Structures are given as structure tokens and as C-alpha cells.
């Protein structure tokens, strides 16, 4: 049976970006923790184990400490992913950045169009 590689496998030797990690169910959190600890996984429906080397970047708009306290996020996964923490305020909290971002994207799109 041939199956195509998924996002994890495609991230080999690169970066795996996991957006809204707080929304993962506890079962997937467990599997993700196993993957992050060992770098190995199996494709869905496949018994063979594969190994990848990736960097992981996780993002969420939720407070993970509150999610842990509420029992919706695994503490052991939190400690595994909380190596370097960056807090980027929402754009509505930094309105002064909007003109700079608009100009940046205008230049990017103008270069692609011409």
C-alpha cells in the first residue's frame, strides 16, 4: 500500500510548525509528546516506524498554564515544548505596527506583480 508523506515527514531536516496546539485533543497530545521525545512515528494504517529530525515551533492564542489547570492540556507536553517562549502581542494591541506591515506587504506584492 502506497501512502504519501504527511506534514511531519515533509518537515524532515526542517521546521514543523504546529499552530493552535492548545486545540489538540489529549490523545493527539500524547502521540505528539512521544514524537517530540523520540522523533519517530508511524503513518496512519502503517505498522512501520519512521524517523525524522525536525525543529518544532508551536503557537497558540490560549494560556497553556490555564489549559493545564483545566485538564485540557498535558503538563508534560507543555514542559517539552516550552523551551524558548516568545510572546507576540496581538495586532490590535500594537496598532502602531499596522502602517509598517501594510507597506511591507505592498512592496512584496508589487515585486511579484511586476
Amino acid at each position: 500500500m502506497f501512502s504519501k508523506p504527511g506534514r511531519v515527514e515533509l518537515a524532515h531536516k526542517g521546521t514543523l510548525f504546529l499552530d493552535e496546539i492548545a486545540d489538540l485533543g489529549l490523545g493527539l497530545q500524547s502521540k505528539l509528546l512521544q514524537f517530540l521525545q523520540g522523533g519517530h512515528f508511524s503513518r496512519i494504517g502503517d505498522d512501520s516506524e519512521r524517523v525524522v529530525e525536525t525543529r518544532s515551533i508551536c503557537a497558540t492564542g490560549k494560556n497553556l498554564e490555564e489549559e493545564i489547570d483545566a485538564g485540557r492540556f498535558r503538563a508534560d507536553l507543555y514542559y517539552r515544548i516550552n523551551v524558548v517562549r516568545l510572546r507576540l502581542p496581538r495586532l490590535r494591541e500594537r496598532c502602531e505596527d499596522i502602517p509598517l506591515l501594510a507597506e511591507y506587504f505592498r512592496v512584496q506584492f508589487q515585486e511579484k506583480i511586476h
Side-chain angles (χ1 to χ4, degrees):
M1 176 181 183
F2 175 76
S3 60
K4 63 182 184 175
R7 302 281 184 202
V8 170
E9 202 166 344
L10 292 172
H12 182 58
K13 300 282 185 180
T15 302
L16 178 64
F17 178 65
L18 302 168
D19 196 14
E20 291 305 335
I21 194 166
D23 294 339
L24 288 177
L26 291 173
L28 278 176
Q29 290 178 34
S30 176
K31 290 180 181 184
L32 177 59
L33 179 60
Q34 289 175 345
F35 166 71
L36 293 175
Q37 289 174 332
H40 52 86
F41 70 99
S42 296
R43 288 181 179 172
I44 295 174
D46 190 358
D47 292 333
S48 64
E49 197 169 83
R50 298 171 187 273
V51 177
V52 294
E53 296 176 25
T54 65
R55 280 180 292 291
S56 299
I57 298 176
C58 303
T60 186
K62 295 181 180 177
N63 182 320
L64 290 180
E65 290 91 353
E66 290 175 6
E67 295 296 304
I68 291 168
D69 291 342
R72 293 185 294 262
F73 200 82
R74 293 177 57 115
D76 50 358
L77 177 57
Y78 174 74
Y79 292 114
R80 173 62 67 173
I81 64 173
N82 193 28
V83 177
V84 176
R85 186 175 184 174
L86 300 175
R87 183 185 180 283
L88 182 61
R90 295 181 173 155
L91 191 54
R92 69 175 148 237
E93 297 173 25
R94 50 190 178 93
C95 294
E96 66 277 3
D97 289 349
I98 293 174
L100 295 169
L101 290 167
E103 177 61 15
Y104 171 81
F105 288 117
R106 184 192 67 77
V107 169
Q108 294 298 310
F109 289 124
Q110 184 176 356
E111 290 175 1
K112 288 182 180 180
I113 291 172
H114 290 91

